[in-house]
Amino acid sequence: MEIINVIKSGGDSAWLVVLAMTYGGVAVAMAVDFAVGVRRACRSGIARRSRTYKMTCTKALKYFAPMLVLTCVDIICIALVAVPSFTMLMGVFNIFCEWKSVMESTHDKEEIRKAASTMTVIIENKDEISKMLAKILSEKSDDKEKGGENV
């Protein structure tokens, strides 16, 4: 009840403005990243599917859930710190992550996609690869044994 009274008082409206700006900044950064990602996908000819759009919702959950927890921590610490410092730090970190995502070149993201597809092929064919490696290793050990006898 005391927290509600503190929030309702006019002197602490700056605290709420800072929180609103922090959450709003993260939301704007996510929107910019989303728009840039869609534009890059259109230019690159990459299919835009619902699964990739849903990743934005997952990202929002990953960003805003910890921020809400840190806002609760800030409310608990309101007597010690005049500003919601933990929430602000998390917000700045999230905005930085979004900025890095926007600034990554399309070439870097394409290489990441190629590496992921290569790993998928390797994982799908792991049984054949393990059999091939076992065969190669057994042949090498046989060659060493034969070489040791001739010396």
Side-chain angles (χ1 to χ4, degrees):
M1 200 61 156
E2 180 67 24
I3 294 172
I4 295 171
N5 292 332
V6 169
I7 291 173
K8 287 183 180 178
S9 68
D12 293 321
S13 62
W15 202 81
L16 294 175
V17 169
V18 170
L19 274 178
M21 288 175 51
T22 303
Y23 280 93
V26 172
V28 167
M30 286 180 59
V32 168
D33 183 49
F34 179 77
V36 169
V38 169
R39 193 177 98 221
R40 282 183 182 165
C42 288
R43 286 186 178 176
S44 300
I46 298 170
R48 294 164 312 277
R49 296 190 170 91
S50 65
R51 189 183 86 240
T52 54
Y53 287 133
K54 288 177 192 174
M55 288 172 57
T56 301
C57 295
T58 304
K59 184 189 298 186
L61 180 66
K62 288 179 181 178
Y63 284 174
F64 289 122
M67 285 180 69
L68 285 171
V69 170
L70 289 173
T71 300
C72 292
V73 171
D74 284 330
I75 290 171
I76 293 169
C77 297
I78 197 167
L80 301 173
V81 183
V83 294
S85 56
F86 295 117
T87 306
M88 288 172 46
L89 287 173
M90 186 66 179
V92 168
F93 176 73
N94 290 340
I95 291 170
F96 173 75
C97 291
E98 290 298 302
W99 177 75
K100 290 293 283 182
S101 176
V102 168
M103 298 310 287
E104 286 176 346
S105 69
T106 307
H107 175 71
D108 293 341
K109 291 189 177 192
E110 183 62 31
E111 286 192 17
I112 291 169
R113 277 190 215 97
K114 286 180 182 177
S117 65
T118 302
M119 288 305 296
T120 302
V121 169
I122 289 171
I123 290 170
E124 288 174 354
N125 298 316
K126 67 182 177 201
D127 294 331
E128 289 87 21
I129 292 171
S130 62
K131 289 176 186 175
M132 180 181 65
L133 287 174
K135 184 177 178 181
I136 290 171
L137 291 174
S138 67
E139 287 176 359
K140 283 189 177 185
S141 64
D142 289 344
D143 289 343
K144 284 184 180 179
E145 289 175 6
K146 290 178 183 177
E149 293 172 1
N150 292 338
V151 175

